[in-house]
Amino acid sequence: MAVTLKEVAERAGVSRSAVSRTFTDGASVSARTRAKVEEAAAALGYAPNALASSLTTGRTKLIGLVVNNFHNPLILEVFDLFTKGLQERGLRPLLVNLSDATDPAATVRMLRQYSVDGVIVASSTLPPSFAEGFKGAGLPVVHAFGRASAVPDVHVVGIDNVACGRMAAEALIRRGYGRVAFLGGPRGATSTQDRAAGFLGTLARHPGIEVSVSYAEDYTFDAGRARMQRLLAGDRAEAYFCGDDLLAIGALSAIREAGLAVPRDIGLIGLNDMEMARWQVIGLTTIRQPVAEIIAAAVALVVATIEAPDLAPEVRLFPCDVVERGTLRRGAG
C-alpha cells in the first residue's frame, strides 16, 4: 500500500498540515520542519500525490499541448523539447492530437475537464482564431509557430515566414537561376501563404526571372513527391523553394526516380532544417528554423501568463538562416 501523509507526519513528529506545506511550492515551513519531513518521507518511500495537491493549490500543473501534424517527423522533435521544457519547470504536458480538426470547441471542453493551467498550440497551419478560442474560454494560451500580427490577441512565438520566403528567393537569385518556382504546402495554411508572399514579392523585382507556383495537399513526403512528379511531366523549373523540408525531400525522391540529378538538373531549397535534411543521403540546403529557441520561449510565456493572466499578448519572432548543403548549385555568393 502507498505510504500516507499521516504516516509521514507521525514518523516526523509534526502535523499533517506541516507535511502538506513541505510539499507545496511557496508554502511557509521552517527549515527544521522541512528537514524532518523530508527525512521521514525518504525513509518511508513517500511521494506526494499531485492530484491531491491540486485540490489544495487550485493548480494541476497540466499544460495542454495541442498539435495537428503528427505525420511530420519534426513534431517528434517538437514534442521532445516541449515535454522536457515543461518538466524542468515542474509542469506536465497533456497531449491533444487534433488530426484534421480545426474547431477548438471540443478541445476546449476536454482541456477544461482536466483543469489544465494553460495551453500551447504548436502548429504553423492552424489559423490564429484557433488559439484565440482558448483565450476566449479563459485559458492562458501561447501559439507556437503561429502567424504574427501587429496587434496580437494571444502570445505568438515563431518566425517571420514572409522573411523566410524572401531569403529563399534571394538564395536562388544569387545562384543565377532563370526559372524558379514555389512548391507550397496546403493553400489555406497561413505559413504557406506567408512564405509564398515573401518569395513572390522578392522575385517580382526581378522581371527577368520566370516564376511559377504550385501547392501540395499537405506538408508530407508523399504530397511533395506526388506534386513534383506532376511538375516533372510539364515545363519544369530550374529550382524550387519547397515550403517545408518534408515537401523538399519528397520532391528530391521524385526527381531522382525520374533519372535526374540534384542540383545538376534541378535545385531545391527547403525550410525547417529537420533532422532528415541533415542526413548524408539527403543533404538538403534549407532555411533553419530555431525550433529549440521557439519552444523555450513558448514555455516561458505560458508560465508567465499563468502567473499574470492580464499579461499583454506579445509576439516573439526568431531569426532564420540558410544552411548550405548540396541541393543548390554554387553561385556568386
Side-chain angles (χ1 to χ4, degrees), residues 68-304:
N68 73 327
N69 197 17
F70 264 83
H71 49 253
N72 191 326
L74 180 64
I75 204 62
L76 297 177
E77 179 182 352
V78 169
F79 185 51
D80 178 55
L81 291 169
F82 263 126
T83 53
K84 287 178 180 176
L86 291 171
Q87 288 166 185
E88 287 170 358
R89 293 174 176 263
L91 303 171
R92 296 177 296 278
L94 178 63
L95 186 61
V96 179
N97 184 355
L98 287 181
S99 298
D100 296 324
T102 55
D103 181 2
T107 307
V108 168
R109 288 193 297 271
M110 187 191 75
L111 292 176
R112 276 184 157 176
Q113 288 176 344
Y114 287 93
S115 301
V116 297
D117 291 339
V119 179
I120 297 174
V121 177
S123 172
S124 66
T125 58
L126 289 171
S129 59
F130 195 94
E132 292 163 10
F134 292 101
K135 181 180 180 181
L139 291 169
V141 60
V142 175
H143 192 170
F145 310 102
R147 189 182 214 176
S149 64
V151 185
D153 289 317
V154 301
H155 298 296
V156 175
V157 183
I159 60 175
D160 185 338
N161 281 298
V162 176
C164 287
R166 288 196 295 265
M167 291 174 66
E170 290 163 359
L172 300 186
I173 291 167
R174 286 196 303 270
R175 287 160 177 77
Y177 288 110
R179 297 193 313 279
V180 302
F182 175 67
L183 198 172
R187 194 184 291 258
T190 59
S191 53
T192 300
Q193 296 166 6
D194 291 347
R195 291 165 192 176
F199 186 73
L200 299 175
T202 300
L203 290 166
R205 299 193 295 272
H206 297 265
I209 299 178
E210 296 179 26
V211 186
S212 59
V213 178
S214 62
Y215 298 94
E217 295 179 357
D218 208 344
Y219 282 125
T220 65
F221 172 90
D222 289 338
R225 180 173 173 272
R227 175 53 61 181
M228 181 54 70
Q229 286 174 332
R230 289 191 285 272
L231 292 170
L232 292 176
D235 186 16
R236 67 174 187 259
E238 294 176 335
Y240 291 84
F241 166 42
C242 301
D244 175 88
D245 284 351
L246 265 190
L247 289 178
I249 295 170
L252 177 63
S253 175
I255 292 167
R256 287 174 174 171
E257 286 176 356
L260 301 172
V262 175
R264 186 194 65 201
D265 300 311
I266 298 176
L268 292 174
I269 180 170
L271 193 152
N272 273 331
D273 194 27
M274 64 190 301
E275 182 183 355
M276 282 194 296
R278 308 164 206 163
W279 292 357
Q280 186 176 5
V281 294
I282 294 174
L284 180 67
T285 296
T286 187
I287 297 172
R288 175 184 174 270
Q289 179 173 208
V291 173
E293 291 92 331
I294 291 169
I295 290 171
V299 171
L301 264 178
V302 79
V303 170

Side-chain angles (χ1 to χ4, degrees), residues 12-37:
V14 300
S15 67
R16 281 182 287 183
S17 63
V19 177
S20 178
R21 291 197 305 275
T22 298
F23 293 107
T24 300
D25 292 339
S28 176
V29 61
S30 70
R32 182 182 177 186
T33 297
R34 180 181 297 278
K36 291 167 66 177
V37 170

